[in-house]
Amino acid sequence: AQSVTQLDSQVPVFEEAPVELRCNYSSSVSVYLFWYVQYPNQGLQLLLKYLSGSTLVKGINGFEAEFNKSQTSFHLRKPSVHISDTAEYFCAVSGAGVGSGGSYIPTFGRGTSLIVHP
Amino acid sequence: KAGVTQTPRYLIKTRGQQVTLSCSPISGHRSVSWYQQTPGQGLQFLFEYFSETQRNKGNFPGRFSGRQFSNSRSEMNVSTLELGDSALYLCASSLSPGNQPQHFGDGTRLSIL
């Protein structure tokens, strides 16, 4: 079974400050990892994904994440946040494709609410 | 390219009624998944359809069902509605099962009175 833990339910930060949203996962098989963002009254939008290759993944809106296999983490970072980044952020894990032995149905974390103050 | 379209956006029902939600995937996407999102439980997987067949099902009672049509559009049905069914229901599509990432619609907000 796979699981995801987002360590912070809420992260308040001032505009133009850096931010890190933490995500740890557990799985017995190779995994794909994702970060999604959800704005109020909208669905989830993919920020970035790790499927294979370089462990540093760059996404949209200036976000990046680093896959750390030894620490089973996939933390999301942005060097300078904007008011418009205020939203709910979800980390998700799935088995690395059909045949990996794991479920390819993604498991989502409980979400981290990023609140950017002016 | 149009995104995933879910209708209706908002729905109010009373206990005991039934409801049908609709999802039109991105053109060319043949896999459709449904999720329930609530403040208490977060995002929970309901079921996945591909080629008009249910391939995976989450841990939900039989009151929750779905189907997929030949044009890949999908519907989910909830019968005998309970207060706890109040949630945002999200549909996501992808080219095929196991093909990541999924593309989400804006959801249907279901409120049970």
Side-chain angles (χ1 to χ4, degrees):
Chain A
Q2 57 207 24
S3 66
V4 177
T5 302
Q6 290 186 242
L7 296 155
D8 306 295
S9 60
Q10 204 172 78
V11 173
V13 65
F14 285 106
E15 195 173 19
E16 297 184 9
V19 71
E20 178 180 82
L21 306 184
R22 297 181 293 169
C23 172
N24 284 91
Y25 69 92
S26 112
S27 175
S28 57
V29 299
S30 296
V31 296
Y32 292 157
L33 293 156
F34 310 86
W35 274 98
Y36 288 87
V37 60
Q38 185 178 34
Y39 299 102
N41 298 316
Q42 292 185 25
L44 277 65
Q45 179 184 358
L46 180 71
L47 274 178
L48 48 79
K49 61 184 184 287
Y50 172 79
L51 303 182
S52 65
S54 172
T55 57
L56 182 63
V57 180
K58 293 192 183 297
I60 62 171
N61 301 341
F63 285 93
E64 64 179 34
E66 184 151 21
F67 170 52
N68 188 319
K69 189 174 181 179
S70 63
Q71 297 187 3
T72 60
S73 68
F74 191 55
H75 300 332
L76 181 70
R77 302 185 184 101
K78 186 170 182 178
S80 175
V81 295
H82 302 288
I83 295 286
S84 59
D85 292 324
T86 295
E88 193 82 12
Y89 291 79
F90 293 91
C91 180
V93 62
S94 71
V98 177
S100 69
S103 170
Y104 62 78
I105 303 296
T107 299
F108 289 84
R110 296 300 297 270
T112 296
S113 179
L114 175 63
I115 302 169
V116 181
H117 297 286
Chain B
K1 199 174 193 182
V4 177
T5 304
Q6 291 187 247
T7 57
R9 285 298 311 278
Y10 303 92
L11 208 46
I12 299 175
K13 292 285 187 179
T14 57
R15 280 181 297 174
Q17 287 187 309
Q18 75 164 20
V19 67
T20 299
L21 312 182
S22 178
C23 171
S24 293
I26 289 174
S27 177
H29 284 195
R30 297 172 60 202
S31 177
V32 173
S33 297
W34 288 89
Y35 296 84
Q36 182 196 64
Q37 185 179 24
T38 60
Q41 300 297 321
L43 267 158
Q44 293 186 288
F45 170 75
L46 279 158
F47 26 65
E48 178 200 28
Y49 286 88
F50 176 73
S51 292
E52 302 177 62
T53 302
Q54 186 181 90
R55 288 178 56 92
N56 286 284
K57 189 178 193 315
N59 189 24
F60 279 83
R63 300 186 297 108
F64 291 80
S65 63
R67 59 178 176 168
Q68 186 180 34
F69 302 95
S70 58
N71 61 358
S72 296
R73 190 177 71 84
S74 177
E75 289 181 347
M76 68 163 279
N77 184 276
V78 188
S79 62
T80 320
L81 286 165
E82 301 176 0
L83 291 177
D85 297 333
S86 293
L88 180 66
Y89 289 88
L90 292 166
C91 168
S93 75
S94 59
L95 287 167
S96 59
N99 186 282
Q100 303 288 359
Q102 295 177 319
H103 299 263
F104 285 80
D106 285 340
T108 293
R109 174 77 61 186
L110 176 63
S111 299
I112 311 302
L113 303 179

